[in-house]
Amino acid sequence: MDLIVVLTVVSALFILIGLADPVAARLRLPVAVVLAAFGIALGAGATFFWRTDLTDALNPVALAILNLPIRSSLFLYVFLPILIFQVTLSLNLRRMLDDWVPILVLAVVAVAVATAVVGLALYPFAGLPLMACLLIGAIVSTTDPSAVVSIFRATPAPQRLARIVEGESLLNDAAAIALFGVFFAVLAIGVEGPTISAALAGFPWLLAGGALAGWAAALGTVALIHRLPDHPLAQVSITVALPFLVYLLADAVLAVSGVVAVVAAGLTVNFLAPGRLSPPTLAKLRDTWDLLAYWAGGLIFVMAALLVPRLLAQATWADLGLVLVTVLAALVARAMILFGLLPLLTALRVSPRVETPYRLAILWGGLRGAVTLALALAVTESFRIPPEIKREVGIVATGFTLFTLIVQGTTLRWVIARLGLDRLSPLDLALSRQVVAVALQSVRETVADAARDLGLNRDIVRDEAKRFAERLDKAVAGAEDGTNIPDRDRVTLGLVALAGRERDLILDAFRDGLISAQLANRLLADSDRIIERTRAGGRTEYRLAARAGLRAGRAQRLVELLHNRLRVSGPLARLTADRFERIVTLRLILRALHGFIDTRIRRIHGRRVADLLHELLDRRTDETERELEGLQLQFPGYAETLERRLIRQTTLAQEEREYAALVDDGLIGPELRTALMDDLASRRARLAERPVLDLTVQKTDLIRSFPLFAAMDEPARRLLGRTLRTVYAAPGDIILRRSEKPRQVWFIASGAVESDTAGRILRLGRGEMFGHLAVISGKSRKSQVRAITHCTLLALDEGRFMALLRRNAALRAAVQASADKRGVKLDLSGLDA
């Protein structure tokens, strides 16, 4: 094929892709519908010019279009990995992990139900084996995620619902393609294939094996690019190779699902990259993949649409009936999930409640596209599939895809409007008015200052200011018009705006280099949870969501267990340092929110609401302070180290802004600018490394501050530090049980515990000990000791405790005082050294 002709065709394809978005926006249609229309028109035009006698000038171009090497392998091995990998990179993974149960259940169950319902519906009419009908069911069970997501971009849908549907659509393709491979292997002739029972039994391994392969490949890739911090283009280039290599590795070498492998690889990179790539490189990475996915998505739809005339060339009226049966069966299967399984998940409290209008929109918005056509093409290309099956698969899958695009795609926006999903709720409408009013107030202040600085004509400025003031007064009046909105909702509006401002401050801190991308993602996820729960439940949910963000979580308990039982301290140190950094940063952000209440929210909602928000914010700040104080008692000195680092980062950001202003003013030349920027970059790189939380040093500091060991000399304290074991306990943990003979003595370095002896409660705090009386007497305990706060305990085994008791007079005095406090007779005179 002539190179000039090839370049002409490729250029035309990219022009069509570039025009698809504006045309779709103008026609108010899904982009997939427009791209498919472009592809069909291009194929029809090429066929016309090749066959017409009007002119031969366009014959080379028409022939080139008709002879494009469009194969299923092109879609499955080139375009599909790009699209899936980009979607996984764009997901809010930390928030999606909150809803992994409904996402996974909906994805797997939806594919299985759709495959079964469509296959069983076709079986009496198609004249094909049941396995062939199930193969068609697996092919048409894939959905186009972009079409589903566009529903929520066009409507004020709850964010959590949008995440669940987006995640389900992504995993839906992976499960459907894996199931397609199972039925394809059963139907293939000329090779010894598995039985249907064996193939279905191996289906879970297809998914699990693909996930493991993708996870392992992504770990290696992230480790490699982490070693290339000075070469951002090389880092991005390596990630481009990852989805293709992992797809080939899983599909061709390991015989597991390549699509699932790409999903796992993308999710792993999404989770790990923010902590291992610089913010500019991470932005470059996401921009690169957005562009690649934009091209791949456009090409896959246009090129797949070119296949439509070929796949439908032998269609009959009977085939049209089978297409209609497939359409009805697919809608019934989707309805079973939306109106059967989804309410069940809601009742089990693992999925949000989905209103009926949203379920109807999702039902009608299940468009099919290039993946369905690519799988159908794979069947029609295979010489191992019987001809009658190939013909029916091609016609039914193509006709079904055309129905979803032409009928459902073109009417989707009308359906959304009829369901009332394009209208804002009263609360959302009030929130939008509030945002407009606050924004216009800021604009008025900015424009007034700019007009004064520019020395514009006063009469013109006065006239325009009057016009703008009228608009502002209308906006403020609209925001203050709360006759239909209860005061409770006005407080909710203020809290949502406050949480939104918190989100903005987190992003500002990230842009200024004050916090890492990993920390920013965690804080943003917490802010999003607060916004969603506040919109649903008002101030009560605001406080509950804020407290949930402060809690240590299950991972903290797990790493504490590893440290306490197995002496594995690395995970505990890292996770505790993460929590320290998060709480220190959150405390600074919360303090900055009071000014936003006074300057913005008070203007809209008045003093009473503003005062209430101040009170709620003060409570949240106090809870954050208490959490930080508890950590400081457990790990003294580390919070101060983080605050010192934060001050240096703030100073560095201000210094960088000042240099940039001097460069803009022409006061700094390019040579000096380069030297200054290099110095700033090196200092920023040093500050980017978070101080290490050394638990060994922390234990030494705890021993040094412990009153009982204050009189010991430094060598003796170091020796004691090697024998003491640090144990961390959470509120409610049982440290010692009744009738248990203790083998060690516990010293409370921070926190408090409660000793229960036959209903007699004794509380012990920092500087006290327990377990010592039973060790000295050699009897089983009659008390149960439970932690009532987060505690740091120093444990010493009984032999070393008795040796220390003989040497340390202060310890003997403390033991005697403890026995007297409990009313226990104890004679330690024989232990004097």
Side-chain angles (χ1 to χ4, degrees), residues 518-551:
Q518 193 171 17
L519 176 58
N521 286 339
R522 174 60 190 271
L523 291 173
L524 289 173
D526 289 342
S527 296
D528 289 340
R529 290 189 188 96
I530 292 174
I531 291 173
E532 289 181 24
R533 294 183 62 175
T534 303
R535 289 171 64 89
R539 75 177 80 175
T540 301
E541 287 298 317
Y542 175 86
R543 295 188 63 184
L544 292 175
R547 288 172 182 167
L550 288 175
R551 286 199 293 265

PDB file of all heavy atoms in Angstrom, residues 518-551:
ATOM      1  N   GLN A 518       0.693  11.032  47.583  1.00  0.00           N
ATOM      2  CA  GLN A 518       0.048   9.950  48.331  1.00  0.00           C
ATOM      3  C   GLN A 518      -0.769  10.493  49.494  1.00  0.00           C
ATOM      4  O   GLN A 518      -1.919  10.090  49.707  1.00  0.00           O
ATOM      5  CB  GLN A 518       1.102   8.974  48.831  1.00  0.00           C
ATOM      6  CG  GLN A 518       0.561   7.663  49.340  1.00  0.00           C
ATOM      7  CD  GLN A 518       1.664   6.658  49.614  1.00  0.00           C
ATOM      8  OE1 GLN A 518       2.830   7.017  49.721  1.00  0.00           O
ATOM      9  NE2 GLN A 518       1.311   5.401  49.709  1.00  0.00           N
ATOM     10  N   LEU A 519      -0.184  11.444  50.243  1.00  0.00           N
ATOM     11  CA  LEU A 519      -0.911  12.049  51.356  1.00  0.00           C
ATOM     12  C   LEU A 519      -2.082  12.871  50.841  1.00  0.00           C
ATOM     13  O   LEU A 519      -3.169  12.853  51.431  1.00  0.00           O
ATOM     14  CB  LEU A 519       0.034  12.917  52.184  1.00  0.00           C
ATOM     15  CG  LEU A 519      -0.594  13.705  53.337  1.00  0.00           C
ATOM     16  CD1 LEU A 519      -1.284  12.768  54.319  1.00  0.00           C
ATOM     17  CD2 LEU A 519       0.451  14.546  54.052  1.00  0.00           C
ATOM     18  N   ALA A 520      -1.874  13.606  49.745  1.00  0.00           N
ATOM     19  CA  ALA A 520      -2.961  14.404  49.171  1.00  0.00           C
ATOM     20  C   ALA A 520      -4.127  13.515  48.763  1.00  0.00           C
ATOM     21  O   ALA A 520      -5.294  13.853  49.015  1.00  0.00           O
ATOM     22  CB  ALA A 520      -2.445  15.199  47.978  1.00  0.00           C
ATOM     23  N   ASN A 521      -3.838  12.372  48.150  1.00  0.00           N
ATOM     24  CA  ASN A 521      -4.912  11.455  47.745  1.00  0.00           C
ATOM     25  C   ASN A 521      -5.696  10.963  48.952  1.00  0.00           C
ATOM     26  O   ASN A 521      -6.927  10.854  48.910  1.00  0.00           O
ATOM     27  CB  ASN A 521      -4.329  10.269  46.985  1.00  0.00           C
ATOM     28  CG  ASN A 521      -3.889  10.637  45.587  1.00  0.00           C
ATOM     29  OD1 ASN A 521      -4.343  11.629  45.026  1.00  0.00           O
ATOM     30  ND2 ASN A 521      -2.995   9.849  45.014  1.00  0.00           N
ATOM     31  N   ARG A 522      -4.989  10.643  50.035  1.00  0.00           N
ATOM     32  CA  ARG A 522      -5.676  10.150  51.237  1.00  0.00           C
ATOM     33  C   ARG A 522      -6.561  11.247  51.844  1.00  0.00           C
ATOM     34  O   ARG A 522      -7.726  11.005  52.194  1.00  0.00           O
ATOM     35  CB  ARG A 522      -4.636   9.678  52.253  1.00  0.00           C
ATOM     36  CG  ARG A 522      -5.229   9.280  53.605  1.00  0.00           C
ATOM     37  CD  ARG A 522      -6.225   8.133  53.466  1.00  0.00           C
ATOM     38  NE  ARG A 522      -6.966   7.904  54.684  1.00  0.00           N
ATOM     39  CZ  ARG A 522      -6.564   7.079  55.654  1.00  0.00           C
ATOM     40  NH1 ARG A 522      -5.446   6.406  55.515  1.00  0.00           N
ATOM     41  NH2 ARG A 522      -7.290   6.917  56.735  1.00  0.00           N
ATOM     42  N   LEU A 523      -6.021  12.461  51.949  1.00  0.00           N
ATOM     43  CA  LEU A 523      -6.797  13.561  52.523  1.00  0.00           C
ATOM     44  C   LEU A 523      -7.977  13.929  51.629  1.00  0.00           C
ATOM     45  O   LEU A 523      -9.067  14.241  52.118  1.00  0.00           O
ATOM     46  CB  LEU A 523      -5.896  14.778  52.743  1.00  0.00           C
ATOM     47  CG  LEU A 523      -4.836  14.634  53.837  1.00  0.00           C
ATOM     48  CD1 LEU A 523      -3.905  15.843  53.833  1.00  0.00           C
ATOM     49  CD2 LEU A 523      -5.482  14.479  55.212  1.00  0.00           C
ATOM     50  N   LEU A 524      -7.761  13.910  50.305  1.00  0.00           N
ATOM     51  CA  LEU A 524      -8.857  14.212  49.389  1.00  0.00           C
ATOM     52  C   LEU A 524      -9.949  13.162  49.476  1.00  0.00           C
ATOM     53  O   LEU A 524     -11.147  13.486  49.396  1.00  0.00           O
ATOM     54  CB  LEU A 524      -8.325  14.309  47.958  1.00  0.00           C
ATOM     55  CG  LEU A 524      -7.465  15.529  47.635  1.00  0.00           C
ATOM     56  CD1 LEU A 524      -6.868  15.398  46.247  1.00  0.00           C
ATOM     57  CD2 LEU A 524      -8.278  16.810  47.746  1.00  0.00           C
ATOM     58  N   ALA A 525      -9.561  11.903  49.626  1.00  0.00           N
ATOM     59  CA  ALA A 525     -10.557  10.838  49.779  1.00  0.00           C
ATOM     60  C   ALA A 525     -11.387  11.060  51.044  1.00  0.00           C
ATOM     61  O   ALA A 525     -12.615  10.895  51.037  1.00  0.00           O
ATOM     62  CB  ALA A 525      -9.877   9.477  49.810  1.00  0.00           C
ATOM     63  N   ASP A 526     -10.723  11.445  52.133  1.00  0.00           N
ATOM     64  CA  ASP A 526     -11.455  11.732  53.375  1.00  0.00           C
ATOM     65  C   ASP A 526     -12.409  12.911  53.190  1.00  0.00           C
ATOM     66  O   ASP A 526     -13.546  12.888  53.675  1.00  0.00           O
ATOM     67  CB  ASP A 526     -10.462  12.031  54.507  1.00  0.00           C
ATOM     68  CG  ASP A 526      -9.704  10.790  54.949  1.00  0.00           C
ATOM     69  OD1 ASP A 526     -10.157   9.677  54.645  1.00  0.00           O
ATOM     70  OD2 ASP A 526      -8.639  10.945  55.587  1.00  0.00           O
ATOM     71  N   SER A 527     -11.949  13.956  52.491  1.00  0.00           N
ATOM     72  CA  SER A 527     -12.806  15.124  52.251  1.00  0.00           C
ATOM     73  C   SER A 527     -14.010  14.749  51.403  1.00  0.00           C
ATOM     74  O   SER A 527     -15.130  15.218  51.650  1.00  0.00           O
ATOM     75  CB  SER A 527     -12.001  16.236  51.566  1.00  0.00           C
ATOM     76  OG  SER A 527     -10.964  16.702  52.390  1.00  0.00           O
ATOM     77  N   ASP A 528     -13.787  13.919  50.393  1.00  0.00           N
ATOM     78  CA  ASP A 528     -14.912  13.484  49.547  1.00  0.00           C
ATOM     79  C   ASP A 528     -15.932  12.696  50.357  1.00  0.00           C
ATOM     80  O   ASP A 528     -17.151  12.838  50.158  1.00  0.00           O
ATOM     81  CB  ASP A 528     -14.400  12.638  48.389  1.00  0.00           C
ATOM     82  CG  ASP A 528     -13.635  13.453  47.361  1.00  0.00           C
ATOM     83  OD1 ASP A 528     -13.818  14.688  47.340  1.00  0.00           O
ATOM     84  OD2 ASP A 528     -12.842  12.873  46.601  1.00  0.00           O
ATOM     85  N   ARG A 529     -15.443  11.849  51.269  1.00  0.00           N
ATOM     86  CA  ARG A 529     -16.375  11.100  52.127  1.00  0.00           C
ATOM     87  C   ARG A 529     -17.192  12.062  52.990  1.00  0.00           C
ATOM     88  O   ARG A 529     -18.404  11.877  53.180  1.00  0.00           O
ATOM     89  CB  ARG A 529     -15.616  10.132  53.022  1.00  0.00           C
ATOM     90  CG  ARG A 529     -14.996   8.948  52.301  1.00  0.00           C
ATOM     91  CD  ARG A 529     -14.447   7.928  53.288  1.00  0.00           C
ATOM     92  NE  ARG A 529     -13.689   6.895  52.624  1.00  0.00           N
ATOM     93  CZ  ARG A 529     -12.371   6.911  52.486  1.00  0.00           C
ATOM     94  NH1 ARG A 529     -11.666   7.914  52.999  1.00  0.00           N
ATOM     95  NH2 ARG A 529     -11.748   5.934  51.857  1.00  0.00           N
ATOM     96  N   ILE A 530     -16.540  13.077  53.513  1.00  0.00           N
ATOM     97  CA  ILE A 530     -17.240  14.052  54.353  1.00  0.00           C
ATOM     98  C   ILE A 530     -18.310  14.771  53.545  1.00  0.00           C
ATOM     99  O   ILE A 530     -19.442  14.963  54.006  1.00  0.00           O
ATOM    100  CB  ILE A 530     -16.233  15.046  54.965  1.00  0.00           C
ATOM    101  CG1 ILE A 530     -15.335  14.330  55.982  1.00  0.00           C
ATOM    102  CG2 ILE A 530     -16.953  16.203  55.635  1.00  0.00           C
ATOM    103  CD1 ILE A 530     -14.221  15.198  56.528  1.00  0.00           C
ATOM    104  N   ILE A 531     -17.978  15.173  52.317  1.00  0.00           N
ATOM    105  CA  ILE A 531     -18.940  15.884  51.478  1.00  0.00           C
ATOM    106  C   ILE A 531     -20.145  15.008  51.185  1.00  0.00           C
ATOM    107  O   ILE A 531     -21.299  15.442  51.326  1.00  0.00           O
ATOM    108  CB  ILE A 531     -18.257  16.345  50.170  1.00  0.00           C
ATOM    109  CG1 ILE A 531     -17.227  17.451  50.466  1.00  0.00           C
ATOM    110  CG2 ILE A 531     -19.290  16.863  49.174  1.00  0.00           C
ATOM    111  CD1 ILE A 531     -16.389  17.840  49.270  1.00  0.00           C
ATOM    112  N   GLU A 532     -19.899  13.760  50.786  1.00  0.00           N
ATOM    113  CA  GLU A 532     -21.002  12.865  50.431  1.00  0.00           C
ATOM    114  C   GLU A 532     -21.893  12.578  51.634  1.00  0.00           C
ATOM    115  O   GLU A 532     -23.125  12.646  51.540  1.00  0.00           O
ATOM    116  CB  GLU A 532     -20.441  11.560  49.879  1.00  0.00           C
ATOM    117  CG  GLU A 532     -19.817  11.697  48.505  1.00  0.00           C
ATOM    118  CD  GLU A 532     -19.311  10.376  47.989  1.00  0.00           C
ATOM    119  OE1 GLU A 532     -19.810   9.322  48.440  1.00  0.00           O
ATOM    120  OE2 GLU A 532     -18.405  10.378  47.141  1.00  0.00           O
ATOM    121  N   ARG A 533     -21.275  12.265  52.762  1.00  0.00           N
ATOM    122  CA  ARG A 533     -22.076  11.916  53.927  1.00  0.00           C
ATOM    123  C   ARG A 533     -22.800  13.133  54.496  1.00  0.00           C
ATOM    124  O   ARG A 533     -23.912  13.018  55.020  1.00  0.00           O
ATOM    125  CB  ARG A 533     -21.184  11.257  54.988  1.00  0.00           C
ATOM    126  CG  ARG A 533     -20.637   9.914  54.545  1.00  0.00           C
ATOM    127  CD  ARG A 533     -19.825   9.238  55.635  1.00  0.00           C
ATOM    128  NE  ARG A 533     -20.615   8.943  56.820  1.00  0.00           N
ATOM    129  CZ  ARG A 533     -20.162   8.275  57.876  1.00  0.00           C
ATOM    130  NH1 ARG A 533     -18.905   7.825  57.864  1.00  0.00           N
ATOM    131  NH2 ARG A 533     -20.926   8.045  58.921  1.00  0.00           N
ATOM    132  N   THR A 534     -22.183  14.318  54.390  1.00  0.00           N
ATOM    133  CA  THR A 534     -22.848  15.529  54.867  1.00  0.00           C
ATOM    134  C   THR A 534     -24.056  15.853  54.019  1.00  0.00           C
ATOM    135  O   THR A 534     -25.119  16.233  54.538  1.00  0.00           O
ATOM    136  CB  THR A 534     -21.865  16.709  54.860  1.00  0.00           C
ATOM    137  OG1 THR A 534     -20.724  16.395  55.668  1.00  0.00           O
ATOM    138  CG2 THR A 534     -22.526  17.965  55.414  1.00  0.00           C
ATOM    139  N   ARG A 535     -23.935  15.703  52.709  1.00  0.00           N
ATOM    140  CA  ARG A 535     -25.074  15.951  51.832  1.00  0.00           C
ATOM    141  C   ARG A 535     -26.224  14.997  52.143  1.00  0.00           C
ATOM    142  O   ARG A 535     -27.393  15.350  52.003  1.00  0.00           O
ATOM    143  CB  ARG A 535     -24.651  15.797  50.375  1.00  0.00           C
ATOM    144  CG  ARG A 535     -23.749  16.902  49.872  1.00  0.00           C
ATOM    145  CD  ARG A 535     -23.195  16.571  48.503  1.00  0.00           C
ATOM    146  NE  ARG A 535     -24.244  16.496  47.512  1.00  0.00           N
ATOM    147  CZ  ARG A 535     -24.688  17.531  46.798  1.00  0.00           C
ATOM    148  NH1 ARG A 535     -24.151  18.728  46.995  1.00  0.00           N
ATOM    149  NH2 ARG A 535     -25.637  17.387  45.913  1.00  0.00           N
ATOM    150  N   ALA A 536     -25.898  13.793  52.584  1.00  0.00           N
ATOM    151  CA  ALA A 536     -26.932  12.797  52.862  1.00  0.00           C
ATOM    152  C   ALA A 536     -27.517  12.947  54.263  1.00  0.00           C
ATOM    153  O   ALA A 536     -28.714  12.710  54.457  1.00  0.00           O
ATOM    154  CB  ALA A 536     -26.360  11.397  52.687  1.00  0.00           C
ATOM    155  N   GLY A 537     -26.701  13.331  55.249  1.00  0.00           N
ATOM    156  CA  GLY A 537     -27.173  13.301  56.628  1.00  0.00           C
ATOM    157  C   GLY A 537     -26.915  14.539  57.461  1.00  0.00           C
ATOM    158  O   GLY A 537     -27.135  14.509  58.677  1.00  0.00           O
ATOM    159  N   GLY A 538     -26.433  15.639  56.864  1.00  0.00           N
ATOM    160  CA  GLY A 538     -26.273  16.876  57.606  1.00  0.00           C
ATOM    161  C   GLY A 538     -25.129  16.850  58.602  1.00  0.00           C
ATOM    162  O   GLY A 538     -24.140  16.138  58.438  1.00  0.00           O
ATOM    163  N   ARG A 539     -25.299  17.633  59.669  1.00  0.00           N
ATOM    164  CA  ARG A 539     -24.199  17.833  60.613  1.00  0.00           C
ATOM    165  C   ARG A 539     -23.809  16.544  61.340  1.00  0.00           C
ATOM    166  O   ARG A 539     -22.642  16.339  61.651  1.00  0.00           O
ATOM    167  CB  ARG A 539     -24.558  18.922  61.628  1.00  0.00           C
ATOM    168  CG  ARG A 539     -25.541  18.500  62.694  1.00  0.00           C
ATOM    169  CD  ARG A 539     -25.799  19.578  63.709  1.00  0.00           C
ATOM    170  NE  ARG A 539     -26.749  20.557  63.182  1.00  0.00           N
ATOM    171  CZ  ARG A 539     -27.241  21.567  63.901  1.00  0.00           C
ATOM    172  NH1 ARG A 539     -26.837  21.730  65.149  1.00  0.00           N
ATOM    173  NH2 ARG A 539     -28.115  22.396  63.388  1.00  0.00           N
ATOM    174  N   THR A 540     -24.781  15.667  61.604  1.00  0.00           N
ATOM    175  CA  THR A 540     -24.453  14.413  62.287  1.00  0.00           C
ATOM    176  C   THR A 540     -23.496  13.576  61.462  1.00  0.00           C
ATOM    177  O   THR A 540     -22.487  13.063  61.964  1.00  0.00           O
ATOM    178  CB  THR A 540     -25.734  13.611  62.579  1.00  0.00           C
ATOM    179  OG1 THR A 540     -26.611  14.401  63.393  1.00  0.00           O
ATOM    180  CG2 THR A 540     -25.406  12.318  63.290  1.00  0.00           C
ATOM    181  N   GLU A 541     -23.801  13.433  60.174  1.00  0.00           N
ATOM    182  CA  GLU A 541     -22.920  12.663  59.301  1.00  0.00           C
ATOM    183  C   GLU A 541     -21.590  13.366  59.080  1.00  0.00           C
ATOM    184  O   GLU A 541     -20.564  12.717  58.879  1.00  0.00           O
ATOM    185  CB  GLU A 541     -23.611  12.407  57.960  1.00  0.00           C
ATOM    186  CG  GLU A 541     -24.731  11.385  58.024  1.00  0.00           C
ATOM    187  CD  GLU A 541     -24.215  10.020  58.456  1.00  0.00           C
ATOM    188  OE1 GLU A 541     -23.146   9.603  57.962  1.00  0.00           O
ATOM    189  OE2 GLU A 541     -24.863   9.382  59.298  1.00  0.00           O
ATOM    190  N   TYR A 542     -21.589  14.706  59.128  1.00  0.00           N
ATOM    191  CA  TYR A 542     -20.328  15.447  59.010  1.00  0.00           C
ATOM    192  C   TYR A 542     -19.388  15.058  60.146  1.00  0.00           C
ATOM    193  O   TYR A 542     -18.204  14.759  59.933  1.00  0.00           O
ATOM    194  CB  TYR A 542     -20.599  16.952  59.030  1.00  0.00           C
ATOM    195  CG  TYR A 542     -19.349  17.810  59.027  1.00  0.00           C
ATOM    196  CD1 TYR A 542     -18.728  18.166  57.834  1.00  0.00           C
ATOM    197  CD2 TYR A 542     -18.788  18.270  60.224  1.00  0.00           C
ATOM    198  CE1 TYR A 542     -17.583  18.947  57.823  1.00  0.00           C
ATOM    199  CE2 TYR A 542     -17.646  19.053  60.224  1.00  0.00           C
ATOM    200  CZ  TYR A 542     -17.051  19.386  59.028  1.00  0.00           C
ATOM    201  OH  TYR A 542     -15.907  20.159  59.036  1.00  0.00           O
ATOM    202  N   ARG A 543     -19.916  15.035  61.367  1.00  0.00           N
ATOM    203  CA  ARG A 543     -19.077  14.706  62.516  1.00  0.00           C
ATOM    204  C   ARG A 543     -18.633  13.244  62.481  1.00  0.00           C
ATOM    205  O   ARG A 543     -17.477  12.925  62.782  1.00  0.00           O
ATOM    206  CB  ARG A 543     -19.833  15.002  63.808  1.00  0.00           C
ATOM    207  CG  ARG A 543     -20.151  16.478  64.008  1.00  0.00           C
ATOM    208  CD  ARG A 543     -20.727  16.740  65.371  1.00  0.00           C
ATOM    209  NE  ARG A 543     -19.772  16.413  66.408  1.00  0.00           N
ATOM    210  CZ  ARG A 543     -20.040  16.471  67.713  1.00  0.00           C
ATOM    211  NH1 ARG A 543     -21.243  16.806  68.127  1.00  0.00           N
ATOM    212  NH2 ARG A 543     -19.119  16.149  68.599  1.00  0.00           N
ATOM    213  N   LEU A 544     -19.549  12.354  62.093  1.00  0.00           N
ATOM    214  CA  LEU A 544     -19.187  10.939  62.032  1.00  0.00           C
ATOM    215  C   LEU A 544     -18.131  10.685  60.957  1.00  0.00           C
ATOM    216  O   LEU A 544     -17.183   9.909  61.168  1.00  0.00           O
ATOM    217  CB  LEU A 544     -20.429  10.095  61.753  1.00  0.00           C
ATOM    218  CG  LEU A 544     -21.479  10.044  62.874  1.00  0.00           C
ATOM    219  CD1 LEU A 544     -22.703   9.265  62.418  1.00  0.00           C
ATOM    220  CD2 LEU A 544     -20.882   9.407  64.131  1.00  0.00           C
ATOM    221  N   ALA A 545     -18.288  11.321  59.805  1.00  0.00           N
ATOM    222  CA  ALA A 545     -17.310  11.132  58.728  1.00  0.00           C
ATOM    223  C   ALA A 545     -15.957  11.707  59.115  1.00  0.00           C
ATOM    224  O   ALA A 545     -14.907  11.127  58.799  1.00  0.00           O
ATOM    225  CB  ALA A 545     -17.815  11.792  57.447  1.00  0.00           C
ATOM    226  N   ALA A 546     -15.954  12.855  59.800  1.00  0.00           N
ATOM    227  CA  ALA A 546     -14.691  13.452  60.236  1.00  0.00           C
ATOM    228  C   ALA A 546     -13.989  12.555  61.255  1.00  0.00           C
ATOM    229  O   ALA A 546     -12.766  12.368  61.202  1.00  0.00           O
ATOM    230  CB  ALA A 546     -14.946  14.835  60.829  1.00  0.00           C
ATOM    231  N   ARG A 547     -14.752  11.963  62.173  1.00  0.00           N
ATOM    232  CA  ARG A 547     -14.151  11.057  63.149  1.00  0.00           C
ATOM    233  C   ARG A 547     -13.616   9.794  62.484  1.00  0.00           C
ATOM    234  O   ARG A 547     -12.567   9.273  62.868  1.00  0.00           O
ATOM    235  CB  ARG A 547     -15.184  10.682  64.202  1.00  0.00           C
ATOM    236  CG  ARG A 547     -15.529  11.816  65.169  1.00  0.00           C
ATOM    237  CD  ARG A 547     -16.693  11.431  66.058  1.00  0.00           C
ATOM    238  NE  ARG A 547     -17.066  12.522  66.950  1.00  0.00           N
ATOM    239  CZ  ARG A 547     -18.193  12.544  67.655  1.00  0.00           C
ATOM    240  NH1 ARG A 547     -19.046  11.524  67.558  1.00  0.00           N
ATOM    241  NH2 ARG A 547     -18.479  13.562  68.438  1.00  0.00           N
ATOM    242  N   ALA A 548     -14.342   9.308  61.485  1.00  0.00           N
ATOM    243  CA  ALA A 548     -13.880   8.108  60.776  1.00  0.00           C
ATOM    244  C   ALA A 548     -12.530   8.359  60.110  1.00  0.00           C
ATOM    245  O   ALA A 548     -11.688   7.456  60.035  1.00  0.00           O
ATOM    246  CB  ALA A 548     -14.911   7.690  59.731  1.00  0.00           C
ATOM    247  N   GLY A 549     -12.306   9.584  59.637  1.00  0.00           N
ATOM    248  CA  GLY A 549     -11.024   9.914  59.025  1.00  0.00           C
ATOM    249  C   GLY A 549      -9.875   9.936  60.008  1.00  0.00           C
ATOM    250  O   GLY A 549      -8.712   9.791  59.612  1.00  0.00           O
ATOM    251  N   LEU A 550     -10.180  10.104  61.294  1.00  0.00           N
ATOM    252  CA  LEU A 550      -9.131  10.132  62.316  1.00  0.00           C
ATOM    253  C   LEU A 550      -8.796   8.752  62.857  1.00  0.00           C
ATOM    254  O   LEU A 550      -7.709   8.552  63.403  1.00  0.00           O
ATOM    255  CB  LEU A 550      -9.566  11.028  63.486  1.00  0.00           C
ATOM    256  CG  LEU A 550      -9.588  12.537  63.242  1.00  0.00           C
ATOM    257  CD1 LEU A 550     -10.145  13.246  64.463  1.00  0.00           C
ATOM    258  CD2 LEU A 550      -8.193  13.057  62.916  1.00  0.00           C
ATOM    259  N   ARG A 551      -9.720   7.820  62.714  1.00  0.00           N
ATOM    260  CA  ARG A 551      -9.497   6.497  63.294  1.00  0.00           C
ATOM    261  C   ARG A 551      -8.333   5.783  62.620  1.00  0.00           C
ATOM    262  O   ARG A 551      -8.062   5.970  61.433  1.00  0.00           O
ATOM    263  CB  ARG A 551     -10.762   5.648  63.200  1.00  0.00           C
ATOM    264  CG  ARG A 551     -11.840   6.054  64.196  1.00  0.00           C
ATOM    265  CD  ARG A 551     -12.845   4.937  64.370  1.00  0.00           C
ATOM    266  NE  ARG A 551     -13.603   4.733  63.158  1.00  0.00           N
ATOM    267  CZ  ARG A 551     -14.792   5.279  62.913  1.00  0.00           C
ATOM    268  NH1 ARG A 551     -15.338   6.097  63.801  1.00  0.00           N
ATOM    269  NH2 ARG A 551     -15.431   5.029  61.789  1.00  0.00           N
TER     270      ARG A 551
END
